[in-house]
Amino acid sequence: MDNGYRRKTPEELLQAITKLHHGRLKIYIGAVSGTGKTYHMLRDGQQLQKQGIDVVACAVSTMQRPETMEQLIEIERIPSIHWFKEGVEWKDLDLRAIKTRNPEVLLVDGLAHRNRPEAEFPSRLDDIKHLLACGISVMTTINVYELDGVCDLAYQLTGIEAEYTVPDDILELADEVRLIDVSPETILTRLNEGHLRNAKTPHLLRRGNLDKLRELALRLMAEDVNGSLEHHRRNQGLIGPSGASERILVTVQYHWNGSIHVRRGQQVAKRLSGELLVVSFISDNTSLSKEAAAFKRSIVKLTQKIGASFEELVVPHLHRRLLSQHITEYAMAHGVTRIVLGHSKHTWLQELLHGSIANGILQQAKPIDLFFVADRTDQEGERILPARHRTETRSTYKRLSIAEKKQTTERMKRGTFKVYIGAAPGVGKTYTMLREGNVLLRKGIDVVIGLLETHGRKDTMEQVAELPSIPRAQIAYKDMLLEEMDVPAILKRFPEVVLIDELAHTNVPGSLNKKRYEDVRIILDAGISVISTVNVQHLESLNDAVEQITGVRVRETVPDSMLRIADEVELIDVSPRALQERMREGRIYAMGKVEQALGAFFQLGNLIALRELALREIADDVDERLEAWERTGSLRGPWRRQEVIFVAITDLAQADRLIRRGFRIAHRLKAEWHVMVVYNGGGHAIDRRMKELLQLTEQLGGTFVVKEVRQTQYLPAFLLTHANALNSTQFIIGQEKRSWLARMLRPSIVKKILQNGRKMDVMVVSCLPLQEQ
């Protein structure tokens, strides 16, 4: 870490000086027209005006949306140049007028626009680059399928072809890129209200296409943010996984099973939305046999076909004991979160005499999960992908059972649930929730505020406007009167929609429920629609990842199922530097807390990683919904095997982490999952701990069993017997933290599982404390 003392090179100095005279570029990106990019651009322009910055607009398309038109009223407009092409009107920037006016900031739509033939420059992108060179900052908009690197994939997935595109590197050149995320339901509502009548491509607005383009936008932004995060971590001298994304490393030998391991790694990477790296280590003094060379060609061809990266590394004196070190060092240097490798074929005596790659990696790669691919050749031959799992489809003439009728009726009566999610406090979730409440109110819908936390933010308080509020209930607690949301009063008032802030909040003792999300469930079941807010760090299954990123254990969590039952989930995206700027201006916390926050949770690296985590989480949520809506539409592809996950807990200190990991894997693989805790003695503390683990498992949708085993030498066989009885395909267990003496005196449970459980996949989960990582 250079801490800012390293002298800039002449090139870096020149670049910095040039940037002083150059305008700033901010790009708003969305899935399609109508997501609200122009609205947000104009609103941000208004905020700049309030700060005394000179802002003008030109060639802005409001699509006649009342909200967007309102934002344009107070902004000076420079008339655009109108021209016609095949009977359609187009707007070009009047460069001469803009440069004569010389504003500090220009707001303009349509980054991918092409100019009239006689214009000074052929495209709007060229116009913008010219204005930036003149020292004028520009804020502009683009749809994701108008980027060169996305347009072909978008066409394959949706049949939608962009009229014009811009190079992908424009996002890298931008000083700030902000994603405007909107659910398909919101887009279709705007279409029905007549606000998208100018859309040139009708099939653009089909539900499945909207989902696919939305997911493309989320994943594109996640990759862009990941690049920023890696750059930041390198500058800070940090190595190892960041905790924000999955990076899968498959280590292969030039052998017949190499392609099986690559395919399995591909399946895992796709379902976890991770990057796949394939690496082979070879000795510097060994030439490949004819057979090995053939296997190498097939593996290289396969990695190219599936879009993975392949690397062959030559190392001196290749030996099992040294190979594990090379693999671990490579994984740490490349931020790998999971290593995929085959089960050992050697006996315990051979491993003792010649060393074991698996054992070496187990000892050295402590911060990384290890995934051992099952040896299924005895039962399945060399087949790579199991047959597609058949799903039953109900005939439209099949009579519903009484239970099915009841379930369907309850679902119909239930209120609509919408959640705004963000990467951190201050991104604007509450502001957006209130703004939507006011829009609904103007449409004649009965909307009330059930619970609002403004944290003293002026912009947020202004958005309350005419929205009525339900007074809070007062609850006596330890000689104090505390306030909480009044659920009975909301039920009695029975509005159509209630706005409820901070979904993960823990209620005061004596309240109707322990958690606010439980209150929300009751309100939804009563037939009242709810719009709520939450930050990504509060999702239960991400608790460990957030702690790894920030060093903070978030105590207030909400089950992931709350996002799954939501009818709509929308991400409020803000760049980390913009968020820090809001913090410095006192727009998030009181000025007295600003420095402390910037030095802790709001550090730049934390915000970048949390932003990536949020983008990937919502992209996966969109993909899950797309699979439910359109079976062949998932961008991650179908999961072709029926999985059963078995989570074995032998160390209670690791239990919560293993349960969360088991849930996330099972959820992505559409698998049933089971948790078994084994221990060798009890007491009140143990009983209380078991109740906590049972509650966590059931909250996340798994089954939970506790077994007492007093003789630890029988533990591996006991666990494998139960896993096999459940037809488990994947066995999950935590890494062991044992002293060298314990390793000498007592055999390793994990090693025994690996030796005797070779017919199933085994994942050994990293369970190190943060300071050891």
Side-chain angles (χ1 to χ4, degrees):
M1 208 182 316
D2 61 40
N3 293 320
Y5 291 106
R6 183 178 63 81
R7 182 182 290 113
K8 285 184 171 65
T9 65
E11 291 79 11
E12 289 173 332
L13 198 58
L14 180 61
Q15 187 179 19
I17 293 170
T18 303
K19 203 164 185 178
L20 285 175
H21 301 280
H22 205 262
R24 290 178 58 82
L25 176 61
K26 181 172 182 176
I27 298 175
Y28 298 81
I29 189 169
V32 294
S33 297
T35 54
K37 302 181 296 296
T38 304
Y39 171 89
H40 287 278
M41 177 181 71
L42 293 172
R43 187 165 70 85
D44 288 349
Q46 279 198 347
Q47 291 292 330
L48 293 176
Q49 275 193 161
K50 289 177 182 177
Q51 297 170 26
I53 294 169
D54 184 19
V55 180
V56 301
C58 184
V60 169
S61 301
T62 64
M63 301 175 78
Q64 300 303 305
R65 289 195 66 212
E67 282 184 288
T68 308
M69 293 171 70
E70 282 176 18
Q71 298 298 316
L72 194 54
I73 292 172
E74 296 179 12
I75 296 176
E76 180 186 340
R77 299 171 73 173
I78 294 177
S80 55
I81 297 172
H82 293 242
W83 60 287
F84 288 85
K85 176 184 175 184
E86 298 176 355
V88 178
E89 185 180 26
W90 297 84
K91 299 176 183 178
D92 285 0
L93 292 177
D94 189 337
L95 286 182
R96 184 177 298 177
I98 293 169
K99 287 190 288 184
T100 301
R101 172 65 177 74
N102 194 28
E104 290 178 274
V105 180
L106 170 72
L107 313 180
V108 57
D109 265 326
L111 180 60
H113 171 81
R114 290 298 185 275
N115 292 334
R116 65 199 186 284
E118 66 273 18
E120 184 178 354
F121 298 105
S123 70
R124 182 153 296 164
L125 175 57
D126 295 314
D127 289 344
I128 287 173
K129 286 181 176 178
H130 177 70
L131 293 171
L132 292 171
C134 294
I136 298 173
S137 294
V138 177
M139 300 164 77
T140 187
T141 64
I142 192 171
N143 294 317
V144 69
Y145 58 88
E146 294 172 327
L147 291 165
D148 280 344
V150 179
C151 63
D152 288 340
L153 180 56
Y155 181 73
Q156 291 171 23
L157 293 169
T158 67
I160 294 161
E161 193 167 9
E163 192 163 9
Y164 300 112
T165 61
V166 297
D168 296 330
D169 63 4
I170 191 63
L171 297 186
E172 296 174 23
L173 294 173
D175 298 276
E176 185 179 346
V177 181
R178 182 181 173 192
L179 174 69
I180 307 301
D181 179 49
V182 172
S183 68
E185 290 80 5
T186 300
I187 293 287
L188 294 172
T189 298
R190 291 172 182 173
L191 176 66
N192 292 333
E193 291 173 350
H195 297 315
L196 302 183
R197 58 181 177 272
N198 294 330
K200 299 182 181 70
T201 315
H203 62 291
L204 186 68
L205 298 173
R206 291 176 187 161
R207 166 64 194 258
N209 288 346
L210 290 173
D211 272 320
K212 291 169 189 172
L213 292 171
R214 183 188 181 196
E215 186 177 348
L216 279 175
L218 286 159
R219 296 207 186 282
L220 174 77
M221 282 296 296
E223 290 305 316
D224 187 62
V225 173
N226 182 259
S228 301
L229 179 60
E230 290 195 350
H231 178 73
H232 176 80
R233 287 173 62 82
R234 280 196 300 270
N235 288 344
Q236 296 294 310
L238 300 172
I239 62 169
S242 69
S245 61
E246 293 277 0
R247 184 168 286 172
I248 316 299
L249 171 65
V250 180
T251 62
V252 294
Q253 295 175 312
Y254 299 142
H255 190 257
W256 66 266
N257 62 4
S259 61
I260 294 178
H261 295 167
V262 173
R263 281 291 193 186
R264 190 66 168 138
Q266 179 207 11
Q267 291 176 321
V268 172
K270 286 198 80 169
R271 297 307 300 178
L272 299 180
S273 305
E275 182 183 353
L276 182 63
L277 312 176
V278 179
V279 176
S280 179
F281 292 87
I282 63 170
S283 177
D284 60 349
N285 57 7
T286 305
S287 59
L288 293 180
S289 67
K290 199 170 182 179
E291 185 182 40
F295 281 125
K296 175 184 174 178
R297 286 193 297 272
S298 67
I299 289 170
V300 171
K301 186 177 179 180
L302 176 59
T303 55
Q304 290 172 343
K305 180 182 176 182
I306 64 177
S309 67
F310 176 82
E311 196 170 355
E312 181 182 80
L313 297 177
V314 179
V315 293
H317 314 299
L318 192 63
H319 186 273
R320 281 185 212 164
R321 298 185 197 278
L322 290 175
L323 182 54
S324 59
Q325 182 179 339
H326 290 306
I327 292 172
T328 302
E329 288 174 353
Y330 182 94
M332 291 296 291
H334 289 79
V336 166
T337 58
R338 187 172 305 189
I339 300 174
V340 176
L341 63 164
H343 278 286
S344 171
K345 299 290 194 300
H346 303 289
T347 65
W348 68 270
L349 184 58
Q350 288 173 318
E351 290 180 354
L352 183 65
L353 294 174
H354 304 292
S356 163
I357 297 171
N359 292 343
I361 295 176
L362 278 170
Q363 291 176 19
Q364 296 167 37
K366 293 294 186 182
I368 301 172
D369 296 339
L370 306 179
F371 187 90
F372 294 88
V373 179
D375 178 10
R376 295 190 178 89
T377 53
D378 290 344
Q379 303 126 307
E380 300 179 7
E382 296 181 24
R383 184 176 56 174
I384 293 172
L385 289 177
R388 182 187 295 273
H389 176 59
R390 292 182 60 187
T391 55
E392 293 183 12
T393 56
R394 169 184 287 277
S395 168
T396 53
Y397 295 98
K398 176 75 174 175
R399 182 183 290 120
L400 294 173
S401 67
I402 294 173
E404 288 172 329
K405 287 178 183 177
K406 183 181 178 183
Q407 187 179 23
T408 304
T409 303
E410 288 174 353
R411 193 161 55 241
M412 290 168 65
K413 288 180 179 178
R414 180 177 164 273
T416 300
F417 185 32
K418 182 171 185 175
V419 178
Y420 286 109
I421 189 168
V427 296
K429 303 178 301 296
T430 305
Y431 179 100
T432 308
M433 177 184 74
L434 291 170
R435 183 168 64 82
E436 181 170 2
N438 277 298
V439 170
L440 294 174
L441 196 64
R442 286 197 291 269
K443 292 177 181 176
I445 295 172
D446 183 17
V447 185
V448 301
I449 296 173
L451 195 290
L452 177 65
E453 298 287 359
T454 65
H455 299 287
R457 297 167 193 162
K458 185 180 176 183
D459 291 348
T460 305
M461 290 189 287
E462 287 175 354
Q463 283 299 308
V464 173
E466 298 177 4
L467 287 167
S469 296
I470 302 288
R472 300 189 188 196
Q474 291 193 328
I475 298 173
Y477 178 68
K478 292 185 177 179
D479 300 324
M480 295 184 292
L481 275 180
L482 301 176
E483 294 185 336
E484 280 295 356
M485 182 168 69
D486 195 335
V487 177
I490 292 171
L491 297 175
K492 184 178 180 181
R493 169 68 171 71
F494 200 62
E496 289 178 278
V497 181
V498 61
L499 311 181
I500 300 175
D501 220 352
E502 298 188 357
L503 188 62
H505 171 79
T506 302
N507 292 331
V508 174
S511 300
L512 184 66
N513 292 299
K514 183 179 179 181
K515 302 286 292 187
R516 187 165 291 162
Y517 69 79
E518 295 173 319
D519 295 338
V520 166
R521 283 183 177 273
I522 290 173
I523 293 167
L524 288 169
D525 289 341
I528 300 169
S529 294
V530 175
I531 302 176
S532 190
T533 66
V534 73
N535 287 323
V536 71
Q537 68 262 28
H538 293 294
L539 289 179
E540 178 64 54
S541 71
L542 292 177
N543 200 260
D544 304 300
V546 171
E547 184 177 9
Q548 181 177 334
I549 290 167
T550 66
V552 176
R553 170 65 72 175
V554 176
R555 299 297 174 190
E556 291 192 317
T557 61
V558 62
D560 295 55
S561 59
M562 289 304 292
L563 285 196
R564 295 205 299 277
I565 69 167
D567 300 278
E568 296 179 65
V569 180
E570 289 185 9
L571 175 69
I572 307 300
D573 181 50
V574 173
S575 74
R577 292 194 185 278
L579 198 56
Q580 285 187 324
E581 192 58 36
R582 288 184 188 181
M583 175 67 76
R584 292 189 185 95
E585 292 169 356
R587 293 167 57 192
I588 299 178
Y589 296 150
M591 292 303 292
K593 297 181 179 179
V594 168
E595 290 305 317
Q596 180 185 353
L598 289 172
F601 193 84
F602 274 75
Q603 290 179 64
L604 185 61
N606 289 352
L607 296 179
I608 297 172
L610 288 170
R611 186 188 188 194
E612 182 181 351
L613 200 65
L615 286 161
R616 293 189 185 280
E617 189 66 19
I618 302 307
D620 286 344
D621 180 76
V622 171
D623 204 82
E624 298 289 341
R625 293 169 191 269
L626 187 57
E627 282 184 323
W629 180 266
E630 185 180 308
R631 288 184 185 179
T632 59
S634 169
L635 271 66
R636 295 178 297 169
W639 183 252
R640 296 177 183 268
R641 62 183 304 139
Q642 188 175 14
E643 293 271 3
V644 178
I645 311 298
F646 183 87
V647 181
I649 298 174
T650 59
D651 179 358
L652 291 181
Q654 301 179 1
D656 302 79
R657 182 180 177 86
L658 287 171
I659 290 170
R660 293 189 190 102
R661 187 62 60 88
F663 160 74
R664 286 191 70 78
I665 292 169
H667 178 56
R668 297 299 180 234
L669 304 186
K670 305 287 191 296
E672 64 176 89
W673 61 293
H674 307 269
V675 175
M676 175 174 282
V677 180
V678 289
Y679 70 107
N680 61 359
H684 291 301
I686 292 290
D687 292 342
R688 187 168 60 251
R689 182 76 173 118
M690 294 303 170
K691 286 180 181 177
E692 292 171 355
L693 298 178
L694 169 64
Q695 183 180 6
L696 176 61
T697 305
E698 291 183 342
Q699 182 176 280
L700 293 172
T703 61
F704 183 84
V705 176
V706 179
K707 296 288 183 180
E708 185 174 357
V709 179
R710 293 198 175 270
Q711 293 179 303
T712 56
Q713 68 266 34
Y714 299 130
L715 260 182
F718 181 84
L719 290 168
L720 286 169
T721 299
H722 281 276
N724 286 321
L726 292 167
N727 297 316
S728 303
T729 58
Q730 189 172 151
F731 189 107
I732 298 176
I733 191 167
Q735 287 183 359
E736 295 170 289
K737 292 179 286 184
R738 305 192 306 156
S739 66
W740 67 270
L741 183 61
R743 289 199 296 269
M744 292 290 291
L745 297 177
R746 181 163 49 87
S748 163
I749 295 172
V750 171
K751 288 180 183 176
K752 286 289 186 183
I753 294 291
L754 290 174
Q755 286 171 0
N756 300 307
R758 290 171 180 169
K759 295 296 184 280
M760 69 176 80
D761 295 330
V762 177
M763 190 168 97
V764 185
V765 175
S766 161
C767 292
L768 277 184
L770 286 169
Q771 58 268 27
E772 293 184 44
Q773 293 189 25

